[in-house]
Amino acid sequence: MGRKFFGTDGIRGRTNEAPMTAEIAQRVGQAAGAHFMRGDHRHRVVIGKDTRLSGYMMESALISGFTSVGMDVVMVGPVPTPAVAMLTRSMRADLGVMISASHNPFFDNGIKLFGPDGYKLSDETEARIEAILKDDPKLVPPAEIGRARKIEDARGRYIHFAKSTFPEHLRLDGLKIVVDCANGAAYQVAPSALWELGADVVTLGVSPNGFNINDGCGSTSPAMLQARVVEEGAHIGIALDGDADRLIVVDEKGTVIDGDQLMALIGVSWAERGLLRGGGIVATIMSNLGLERFLEGKGLGLVRTKVGDRYVLETMRGEGYNVGGEQSGHIILSDYATTGDGLVAALQILAGLVESGRPASELLRQFEPLPQLLKNVRFDGGQPLETSPVKAAIADAEARLSGTGRLVIRKSGTEPLIRVMAEGEDETLVAEVVDRICEAVKAAA
């Protein structure tokens, strides 16, 4: 069985439409539970969620699936994705589940699975779970049905963990921080952690109602944060996405700083302190060519992977790196976490801000990015990238950018989109080639 359900970041889709229905969620619980039921101990799964209305439905369906095959369930409520990964390990659970569609609108939802080590599942493990899905579940006898319970201190445990990654000799006293939690999973934990470290905290996106997650706020919509940082005279702004595994920063002037700049700062800082492993960092094919050239100038390397923080992490683990991430703001610091963690990454940036005494606009501008343009084209089916006109447009673009830039064309792993990205030294040329390819894709879609 192929990857019918799993994409680049678990299972995701529009709620109440396949594959994001209660029925399929129950079957996923049964299949994943069956796969991880090994040994004769009481088996346990940790389930967290973000603030979407559909989270209640998906949570109930997953609980039904897991308990029906004999697995106990621990519910931790709305917490960031990295909190689920951390709690799965600390509670010695066999499996962790995060119910979230990350930065997508409220009407989407998703299921992310973590193994007992707190890492996202490999493609091979997901394929084995999909293979189990096609068979009838093996239900346990009534006396062996799993139990479900909720723990109330999950947020406190995560706040303690996040604060432990911040240097003990530093505090955030005197720092005014605007934090935008996207009306998502971190709406309580992020402001609390920053306040406990001494910051003057101004909050945005901390009033979830089931519908407003990522709606005009958070890391994918930073305009409100930009305006508020300037209005408040804040030193810095922090934006998380719906499940808080992504970070975007706004400097004191209201300028957005992306993940490439943040990785550059952390990577070079750690290298100077002898903490960086692997001789560089890991990023995806979408990271700016300016980052690669900057790191080379510092004697550091950049290893590129497919898009998806799971692929970044696989390379980090396989080749011994401890800093990696994506331009979109997924930053993985494997000394602390097994997945992207927006709050933990933000604390590293804030530590640098405190220690340097420099304004964010200076500290966070590590390199001059090359002109880069990304456009998305929605399609309703078929294989637009396989058509002759699209292939011709791509070939022409590659020839025109040769030696001065890059071209990346790919299907989204989470939405029906073709993503067209180009970068190069000539901004006009970059725009021309992207527009021509997009027009060709639209005509073929």
Side-chain angles (χ1 to χ4, degrees):
M1 187 176 184
R3 290 168 60 87
K4 177 181 177 182
F5 297 111
F6 288 92
T8 57
D9 196 14
I11 303 170
R12 190 178 299 183
R14 192 179 182 96
T15 308
N16 271 349
E17 296 179 10
M20 203 42 53
T21 66
E23 178 186 7
I24 293 177
Q26 181 186 50
R27 289 174 56 203
V28 169
Q30 291 168 332
H35 178 78
F36 283 95
M37 292 280 283
R38 304 163 183 169
D40 56 4
H41 62 280
R42 288 296 301 177
H43 293 81
R44 176 184 295 166
V45 55
V46 174
I47 300 181
K49 60 184 179 181
D50 64 23
T51 57
R52 294 162 208 273
L53 176 64
S54 59
Y56 295 98
M57 178 185 76
M58 303 306 292
E59 181 182 51
S60 298
L62 284 162
I63 291 171
S64 175
F66 282 118
T67 55
S68 72
V69 296
M71 185 170 273
D72 291 338
V73 175
V74 177
M75 296 170 284
V76 298
V79 294
T81 287
V84 171
M86 182 272 291
L87 290 166
T88 299
R89 287 195 303 169
S90 69
M91 297 184 69
R92 310 299 193 271
D94 300 275
L95 182 64
V97 181
M98 180 64 181
I99 304 168
S100 175
S102 190
H103 59 281
N104 287 24
F106 88 93
F107 48 73
D108 289 342
N109 216 328
I111 301 171
K112 302 181 184 184
L113 301 178
F114 295 89
D117 56 2
Y119 288 97
K120 290 181 180 178
L121 305 186
S122 66
D123 288 346
E124 293 74 21
T125 300
E126 289 180 345
R128 287 195 287 271
I129 291 172
E130 286 213 7
I132 299 172
L133 275 168
K134 65 182 179 181
D135 299 323
D136 291 334
K138 296 179 180 179
L139 305 179
V140 298
E144 297 177 20
I145 291 173
R147 300 173 183 269
R149 60 175 293 189
K150 184 174 183 179
I151 62 171
E152 302 296 339
D153 65 341
R155 296 188 190 104
R157 297 188 194 190
Y158 175 69
I159 290 170
H160 176 76
F161 154 74
K163 286 166 53 185
S164 74
T165 69
F166 190 73
E168 288 186 1
H169 66 285
L170 297 178
R171 291 181 56 85
L172 297 177
D173 296 71
L175 211 60
K176 191 171 189 178
I177 302 170
V178 182
V179 57
D180 182 350
C181 298
N183 291 312
Y187 76 100
Q188 291 180 322
V189 296
S192 295
L194 296 172
W195 177 81
E196 290 181 20
L197 288 170
D200 178 5
V201 182
V202 178
T203 57
L204 296 173
V206 292
S207 302
N209 60 15
F211 303 97
N212 59 2
I213 186 170
N214 301 312
D215 185 9
C217 57
S219 62
T220 53
S221 301
M224 182 168 59
L225 176 63
Q226 291 174 271
R228 192 64 178 273
V229 166
V230 174
E231 176 187 332
E232 293 281 347
H235 296 90
I236 195 169
I238 294 168
L240 305 172
D241 67 339
D243 67 336
D245 64 353
R246 180 186 298 201
L247 166 72
I248 292 295
V249 171
V250 170
D251 68 23
E252 82 282 2
K253 297 179 180 179
T255 302
V256 173
I257 310 296
D258 67 17
D260 283 348
Q261 298 283 358
L262 304 182
M263 286 189 289
L265 173 61
I266 295 172
V268 170
S269 173
W270 283 25
E272 291 172 348
R273 293 155 58 193
L275 301 176
L276 189 68
R277 298 200 305 272
I281 68 175
V282 181
T284 75
I285 55 176
M286 303 301 287
S287 278
N288 196 278
L289 188 58
L291 171 62
E292 186 172 341
R293 293 177 177 178
F294 168 76
L295 292 173
E296 288 176 355
K298 298 287 185 179
L300 302 173
L302 177 68
V303 177
R304 293 186 184 270
T305 73
K306 293 190 294 184
V307 172
D309 61 324
R310 59 185 295 176
Y311 302 115
V312 171
L313 185 55
E314 286 175 5
T315 299
M316 291 173 65
R317 297 179 71 187
E319 301 183 19
Y321 292 82
N322 62 344
V323 175
E326 298 185 280
Q327 184 186 68
S328 60
H330 287 113
I331 298 177
I332 304 170
L333 306 175
S334 60
D335 287 359
Y336 303 126
T338 56
T339 188
D341 191 320
L343 179 56
V344 168
L347 290 175
Q348 290 297 306
I349 300 302
L350 293 172
L353 198 64
V354 172
E355 287 192 302
S356 72
R358 298 163 60 192
S361 57
E362 292 182 12
L363 180 68
L364 301 179
R365 192 71 173 187
Q366 291 286 303
F367 65 91
E368 192 64 36
L370 268 68
Q372 185 182 77
L373 181 62
L374 169 65
K375 289 190 176 182
N376 299 316
V377 182
R378 187 167 294 273
F379 68 102
D380 297 322
Q383 300 291 332
L385 295 182
E386 300 302 316
T387 64
S388 295
V390 174
K391 286 183 176 181
I394 292 173
D396 177 68
E398 289 175 337
R400 296 179 69 187
L401 288 170
S402 179
T404 64
R406 295 188 310 128
L407 181 68
V408 178
I409 315 291
R410 68 180 186 90
K411 281 186 178 180
S412 168
T414 57
E415 300 174 83
L417 299 173
I418 301 295
R419 304 195 190 279
V420 181
M421 189 277 280
E423 64 179 349
E425 297 168 0
D426 185 337
E427 187 171 5
T428 301
L429 174 59
V430 166
E432 287 177 359
V433 299
V434 167
D435 287 343
R436 183 179 176 194
I437 293 172
C438 288
E439 289 170 4
V441 171
K442 288 177 184 176

